[in-house]
Amino acid sequence: MRLFVYPFLPYRSFFFPFLVLSAIAVPCWLVFRVYRLRTSGQRLSFRREIVLLTFVVYLSGLATATLIPNRNSRSAAQAAMGIDLRPNLTSLTCSSAALPRGSTARAFCVHNARGNFILFFPLGILMPLVWKRLRFWSGIQIAIAVSVSIELVQYLSMAWSNRNADVNDVVLNVLGASFGLALVFLLRLLRGTHLAVARA
């Protein structure tokens, strides 16, 4: 249990804002879906509604984690200068000489890199479930658009949100989404192959 909870402890400051945002987004979404189903005459699919609701909750969490300032983002923003527009392998891997092992800066770098990757992994899984005809490259383009939009908002609101815009975050976000997409498409491929063998 301790090993499961420990990786999520750095995100505990987002818990309350996430609950507040979800408490607003989820009821609004449910009202919209009820209205949509009644006016369109579509049949209710409990499985699809669960997927859509999960997607809404995930987006609430994504907005909370990327747009609401916290102590870590504040310290990073104070140390940053402007916006970094060039991908940096040393920043992506936290292997810079300026980040010695055991230092607070290295720990923050590793935490930030891991968080940016994991944050978009569910997006890669959920997109093909929400849009069943979504192609792999279209999913990548959506992930890029979402990540760039987040970084743009962070840059424009840097003065009050203490957020730092960084192209390396976009790279890590897209990698995370790519792994999620690849997992879903691989499972679909294996399922299709299994069904084809079963029918043969």
Side-chain angles (χ1 to χ4, degrees), residues 106-142:
R106 183 182 177 87
F108 177 81
C109 180
V110 172
H111 165 69
N112 182 67
R114 185 186 302 159
N116 276 296
F117 179 89
I118 295 175
L119 195 61
F120 268 57
F121 182 76
L123 180 65
I125 293 177
L126 289 170
M127 284 191 296
L129 300 180
V130 174
W131 299 291
K132 295 183 179 180
R133 296 183 180 180
L134 181 75
R135 295 183 178 181
F136 184 84
W137 293 113
S138 297
I140 296 295
Q141 291 173 357
I142 293 175

Side-chain angles (χ1 to χ4, degrees), residues 32-44 49:
F32 169 76
R33 285 303 295 172
V34 170
Y35 172 78
R36 180 74 174 175
L37 289 170
R38 286 186 176 182
T39 56
S40 63
Q42 297 177 352
R43 294 182 59 184
L44 177 65
E49 295 306 318

Side-chain angles (χ1 to χ4, degrees), residues 12-13 52 82 89 129 170:
R12 62 186 179 276
S13 60
L52 291 174
L89 184 60
L129 300 180
V170 176

Side-chain angles (χ1 to χ4, degrees), residues 34-199:
V34 170
Y35 172 78
R36 180 74 174 175
L37 289 170
R38 286 186 176 182
T39 56
S40 63
Q42 297 177 352
R43 294 182 59 184
L44 177 65
S45 172
F46 184 74
R47 181 179 178 181
R48 176 160 178 77
E49 295 306 318
I50 290 296
V51 171
L52 291 174
L53 183 60
T54 302
F55 191 55
V56 171
V57 173
Y58 164 74
L59 292 178
S60 299
L62 181 64
T64 303
T66 57
L67 300 178
I68 294 179
N70 68 347
R71 184 176 58 184
N72 290 336
S73 65
R74 185 175 298 116
S75 61
Q78 289 173 350
M81 297 294 292
I83 181 171
D84 190 354
L85 295 175
R86 292 187 300 177
N88 189 333
L89 184 60
T90 57
S91 295
L92 292 171
T93 59
C94 300
S95 59
S96 173
L99 301 173
R101 290 185 179 276
S103 66
T104 303
R106 183 182 177 87
F108 177 81
C109 180
V110 172
H111 165 69
N112 182 67
R114 185 186 302 159
N116 276 296
F117 179 89
I118 295 175
L119 195 61
F120 268 57
F121 182 76
L123 180 65
I125 293 177
L126 289 170
M127 284 191 296
L129 300 180
V130 174
W131 299 291
K132 295 183 179 180
R133 296 183 180 180
L134 181 75
R135 295 183 178 181
F136 184 84
W137 293 113
S138 297
I140 296 295
Q141 291 173 357
I142 293 175
I144 293 173
V146 172
S147 183
V148 170
S149 298
I150 289 173
E151 295 302 316
L152 181 61
V153 172
Q154 289 179 345
Y155 176 71
L156 294 176
S157 63
M158 189 181 298
W160 62 269
S161 69
N162 299 302
R163 286 287 182 171
N164 178 34
D166 190 350
V167 71
N168 296 302
D169 291 350
V170 176
V171 174
L172 291 166
N173 291 160
V174 175
L175 281 175
S178 299
F179 272 75
L181 284 164
L183 178 61
V184 173
F185 279 88
L186 178 60
L187 291 176
R188 283 181 177 178
L189 179 62
L190 293 175
R191 181 183 178 186
T193 302
H194 178 72
L195 292 175
V197 171
R199 292 175 181 174

